Amino acid sequence: MRLFWLSALTMTAFAANSILNRLALAEGAIGAAEFAVIRIAAGALTLSALVAWRAGALHPPRPDGAAVAGLALYMICFSFAYVAMDAGLGALILFAGVQVTMFTGALIEGERPPLLRWLGMGLALTGLAALTLPGAETRTPALSVALMSAAALGWGIYSLQGRRATDPLASTGWNFVYALPVVAMVLVVPVGDDVPVSATGVLLAIASGAVTSALGYSLWYALLPRLAASMGALAQLSVPVIAVALGALLLEETVTPLMLAAMALILGGIALGLLPARPWRKT
């Protein structure tokens, strides 16, 4: 039960990242590049301070190249995708892609998910597919969809690497530190984004980086070793449901009956996939 509640808290933090990013960009409070850089810088500073406070000093380990690359790809593409995409739809595309990436990684590594997990994934993905139907009012530019799909690939790789973390807080902290200069490169790339940086935008980026990213990702890295890759992927499909609800409440994004039905399928699929596999008994 404790694992369930910690997972629920982590998924809420993930959904909050979509809300904070979309809120900042939709209000024109900051540009996508600046949001991404401030977000990861705030996370790096927060985690470095926590690691130093706990250990008394900072001892840089060798970078985990795959985790750093995945985190940087996610941070950059996630931010730019939300220039023209609703928070709920963005979370939908992100975690649908994460689902595919993590299940593929699990199969490559030799994991054999039980039948219930496959059925749960199928039911949840059916709900996700329903959200893309015309009646769901989810039209968005193809570039934004492509960027969020790339972010999904990055996050899926980052999550798969996280299952090997022996010190979640330190691993997350150093991943943020090493990814910071990579993400900062977007500031020198001409992207046609001339949105002025406001105090509100900076505060939203800091909140996303220092709280819902830094602390949320540390908790996620702590949970991942206790979850199979396929189960971790399935659990994250709850994020679009949370993001759609928060988007409707805070950003006045549209929620249709079709979207509600799709979210019910997603939650049902998650519940089915997380049921413990029991062997058949002869009677």
Side-chain angles (χ1 to χ4, degrees):
M1 183 60 70
R2 182 170 178 268
L3 180 62
F4 170 82
W5 288 113
L6 289 175
S7 298
L9 178 61
T10 306
M11 298 307 108
T12 301
F14 290 173
N17 278 322
S18 292
I19 298 299
L20 291 169
N21 204 148
R22 179 56 184 159
L23 179 61
L25 300 183
E27 296 295 327
I30 194 172
E34 291 80 5
F35 187 96
V37 174
I38 293 173
R39 177 187 176 190
I40 195 167
L45 286 172
T46 300
L47 290 166
S48 295
L50 289 174
V51 171
W53 174 76
R54 185 189 64 180
L58 291 175
H59 303 286
R62 177 179 299 178
D64 181 339
V68 171
L71 180 61
L73 178 65
Y74 158 76
M75 283 282 182
I76 295 170
C77 294
F78 181 88
S79 190
F80 278 93
Y82 272 127
V83 171
M85 179 181 286
D86 283 355
L89 177 59
L92 152 70
I93 296 172
L94 175 67
F95 288 101
V98 168
Q99 172 86 344
V100 174
T101 301
M102 292 190 69
F103 256 80
T104 301
L107 294 175
I108 291 173
E109 292 180 357
E111 184 180 324
R112 293 295 176 262
L115 178 60
L116 280 178
R117 202 166 299 161
W118 280 105
L119 293 174
M121 181 188 71
L123 186 61
L125 287 178
T126 299
L128 288 168
L131 284 172
T132 65
L133 296 175
E137 299 181 12
T138 57
R139 297 171 188 168
T140 194
L143 178 59
S144 293
V145 174
L147 286 169
M148 193 59 81
S149 298
L153 175 63
W155 183 254
I157 293 171
Y158 185 73
S159 293
L160 286 170
Q161 290 299 110
R163 294 183 302 138
R164 302 180 178 89
T166 56
D167 186 340
L169 183 65
S171 295
T172 307
W174 288 113
N175 286 337
F176 269 64
V177 170
Y178 289 132
L180 175 56
V182 181
V183 176
M185 291 174 62
V186 299
L187 293 177
V188 299
V189 178
V191 292
D193 187 358
D194 297 323
V195 179
V197 177
S198 69
T200 299
V202 171
L203 289 174
L204 289 171
I206 291 175
S208 178
V211 182
T212 55
S213 294
L215 302 183
Y217 296 179
S218 295
L219 181 56
W220 182 231
Y221 258 34
L223 295 174
L224 278 169
R226 301 162 64 183
L227 299 172
S230 56
M231 186 177 291
L234 196 62
Q236 291 182 90
L237 285 178
S238 62
V239 177
V241 179
I242 301 170
V244 166
L246 292 177
L249 180 64
L250 301 176
L251 303 177
E252 299 183 355
E253 295 177 353
T254 302
V255 179
T256 66
L258 178 58
M259 293 176 74
L260 293 175
M263 288 190 289
L265 285 174
I266 293 170
L267 291 176
I270 293 171
L272 180 63
L274 295 181
L275 287 175
R278 294 188 175 92
W280 290 97
R281 294 182 179 178
K282 294 181 179 181
T283 57

